């Protein structure tokens, strides 16, 4: 059973983090290209600065025994934040629907295995960027976001917004859930890649 205190401690900042990432998604959809990718970084820098809870900023730092309840709550809260923003943007900025739908169609065309692999790359970049940010070095955070976007890597929370703002008939395909779960898992693998592959003596 999830502790009520843990729920109250995690869900609100996780929802807000989902909203912040969604704001980055909106500017990326409306501007596009390199400029959109760079401006997306506002969402992640805001999350890190205020200490909000983001799945890709948390998955690489859970204790070895696994804070699985906490991580699950972070993911749920992030998705709720994306859902709330998607409802608002779908109504107030409907020009975002078509490009978001194109992103979803592209993920479905690639399939779950490719999306899993692309999500590993994103997870690795995000954990690296957050690790630098925790030490007061923000440039890797600012550059890391456009890098993963321009590489075409999959960020599960950003994609939650893109998917949720897409047309309902497209969203309610069974394949969407399979692809999304593959991204969540891929992000987790990427976020922990440095811990699984580097010897303790080589980590400074």
């Amino acid at each position: 059973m999830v502790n009520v205190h843990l729920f109250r401690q995690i869900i609100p900042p996780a929802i807000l983090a989902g909203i912040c990432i969604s704001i980055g998604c909106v500017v990326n959809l409306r501007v596009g290209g390199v400029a959109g990718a760079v401006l997306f970084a506002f969402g992640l820098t805001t999350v890190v600065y205020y200490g909000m809870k983001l799945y890709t900023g948390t998955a690489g730092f859970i204790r070895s025994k696994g804070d699985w309840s906490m991580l699950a709550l972070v993911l749920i809260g992030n998705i709720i934040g994306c859902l709330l923003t998607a409802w608002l943007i779908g109504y107030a900025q409907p020009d975002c629907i078509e490009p978001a739908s194109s992103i979803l169609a592209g993920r479905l065309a690639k399939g779950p295995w490719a999306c899993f692999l692309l999500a590993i790359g994103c997870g690795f970049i995000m954990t690296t960027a957050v690790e630098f940010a925790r030490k007061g070095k923000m440039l890797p955070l600012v550059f890391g976001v456009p890098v993963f976007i321009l590489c075409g890597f999959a960020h599960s929370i950003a994609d939650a917004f893109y998917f949720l703002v897409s047309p309902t008939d497209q969203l309610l395909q069974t394949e969407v859930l399979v692809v999304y779960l593959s991204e969540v898992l891929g992000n987790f693998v990427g976020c922990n890649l440095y811990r699984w592959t580097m010897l303790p003596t080589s980590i400074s």
Side-chain angles (χ1 to χ4, degrees):
M1 181 178 293
V2 177
N3 184 285
V4 174
H5 176 70
L6 180 64
F7 185 90
R8 291 176 177 174
Q9 184 182 33
I10 298 299
I11 287 293
I15 291 175
L16 194 53
I19 292 172
C20 288
I21 295 302
S22 297
I23 291 172
C25 292
V26 173
V27 72
N28 188 40
L29 290 175
R30 304 200 76 210
V31 176
V34 175
V38 171
L39 292 172
F40 187 111
F42 172 81
L44 188 62
T45 53
T46 303
V47 167
V48 173
Y49 181 80
Y50 285 112
M52 300 172 196
K53 301 293 185 181
L54 184 67
Y55 175 75
T56 51
T58 305
F61 299 96
I62 61 173
R63 294 191 295 268
S64 58
K65 293 182 179 179
D67 295 323
W68 303 113
S69 296
M70 179 270 292
L71 189 60
L73 285 177
V74 170
L75 180 60
I76 291 169
N78 290 165
I79 293 173
I80 292 172
C82 292
L83 177 61
L84 294 173
T85 314
W87 282 343
L88 186 153
I89 294 300
Y91 173 76
Q93 295 282 26
D95 59 307
C96 290
I97 295 175
E98 184 176 351
S101 176
S102 296
I103 292 175
L104 175 52
R107 299 294 193 219
L108 293 175
K110 284 181 171 62
W113 176 241
C115 288
F116 169 77
L117 296 175
L118 293 172
I120 291 176
C122 177
F124 179 74
I125 291 172
M126 289 298 91
T127 293
T128 303
V130 171
E131 179 66 28
F132 273 99
R134 289 184 173 191
K135 296 176 181 178
K137 302 175 181 178
M138 299 298 289
L139 276 181
L141 188 66
V142 173
F143 286 118
V145 172
V147 165
F148 91 73
I149 292 175
L150 296 173
C151 284
F153 294 160
H155 189 288
S156 58
I157 307 308
D159 276 5
F161 173 80
Y162 295 137
F163 292 6
L164 289 167
V165 84
S166 298
T168 304
D169 58 340
Q170 184 185 24
L171 175 64
L172 294 180
Q173 301 176 74
T174 305
E175 295 84 354
V176 173
L177 180 60
V178 176
V179 165
Y180 186 72
L181 291 176
S182 74
E183 292 183 358
V184 171
L185 181 58
N187 280 167
F188 182 83
V189 172
C191 287
N192 288 279
L193 198 58
Y194 80 103
R195 294 203 299 185
W196 294 342
T197 59
M198 296 177 66
L199 294 175
T201 55
S202 68
I203 300 177
S204 57

